[in-house]
Amino acid sequence: MKSIFTLTTLLLTTASALPFSVSPSHRGPRALATRSNCTAHAVSADAEPDTGGAGLNITNADNQTRSYFVYENGCDTVPAKYLSVDAGATKFLPLPAGFQGRVVRGTTDVNLDGSAHTLGTWVEIGLDASGTGWADVSLIRGMDGAVTIASADGSGAKTGFSENSVLDDATESILEAKPSGAMAIKATEDWQAALLSNVVSYLAGKLGYAVAYIDDYHGNPVISSSNSRFAVTFYEGRP
């Protein structure tokens, strides 16, 4: 997979190499070494305080309360934690040292049912041993709405996109139903199917390759934060 996490040689050439290994059981982009024991039960993070450590300030820029789910790589059936954020509000989501995984939109009815649900926009986060955090937006597993990520270390680094038209303008031929019934843009992970359905060309035409991973073969839209803290904004989407 083409990314900072799966192409170690690319990182070495940019002096930003991370000592992560690719898991053969998880084909998602930025796949890191998986945990041997996944979380048995998802934990609500609604009341977790910000103690100054690693984590995400998640802003819900949608027009109603939304829930967001944290998955560690290799643990697709049970999220590690989740939280709900009112429309227009921001909540802090602490992350443990060495976290490697994603944050996605969802609903408690679907994401807590014990099954894997991967279709949608992924906010991918990796924390290394030096205290540096790495982040990107990936559409390789689908797209259910816009997301932006900004480093909270004062560097000004940011990535992602806020254009709702990317999803709203998509034709039926490149859409797929999520378990909730909401329609999302199809995954591009299967590149042959993606080419046949014009998903990659549609996303590339809308976004280019600089703000999100839209397939495994173009771009490297990754940012870092020296304090492992990021500001994440989820725009109107389809959980």
Side-chain angles (χ1 to χ4, degrees), residues 38 60 92 102 127 137:
C38 295
N60 173 14
F92 186 74
R102 66 187 184 271
L127 309 182
V137 173

Side-chain angles (χ1 to χ4, degrees), residues 24-163:
S25 64
H26 183 75
R27 295 191 59 236
R30 268 70 56 212
L32 312 183
T34 58
R35 300 175 63 237
S36 58
N37 295 300
C38 295
T39 303
H41 301 286
V43 176
S44 172
D46 284 333
E48 288 192 47
D50 180 359
T51 59
L56 313 174
N57 273 306
I58 296 182
T59 297
N60 173 14
D62 209 329
N63 55 15
Q64 57 186 290
T65 299
R66 294 299 188 193
S67 295
Y68 306 101
F69 296 80
V70 181
Y71 290 87
E72 295 186 83
N73 283 338
C75 302
D76 291 340
T77 58
V78 180
K81 59 175 69 177
Y82 62 97
L83 82 169
S84 295
V85 184
D86 292 338
T90 300
K91 281 187 179 180
F92 186 74
L93 176 67
L95 294 175
F99 175 81
Q100 303 164 8
R102 66 187 184 271
V103 182
V104 298
R105 293 178 183 84
T107 67
T108 53
D109 287 345
V110 172
N111 293 77
L112 300 182
D113 70 357
S115 299
H117 304 293
T118 60
L119 181 63
T121 308
W122 286 19
V123 175
E124 299 183 307
I125 306 292
L127 309 182
D128 70 19
S130 74
T132 299
W134 305 85
D136 66 78
V137 173
S138 174
L139 311 182
I140 295 176
R141 291 297 188 92
M143 189 278 197
D144 62 3
V147 180
T148 58
I149 310 171
S151 171
D153 64 0
S155 65
K158 60 182 179 179
T159 190
F161 60 99
S162 60
E163 296 87 346

Side-chain angles (χ1 to χ4, degrees), residues 6 20-21 42 48 98 101 123 141 143 145 162 165 171 177 203 214 225 237:
T6 58
F20 297 146
S21 59
E48 288 192 47
V123 175
R141 291 297 188 92
M143 189 278 197
S162 60
S165 63
T171 61
L203 291 173
I214 66 172
S225 171

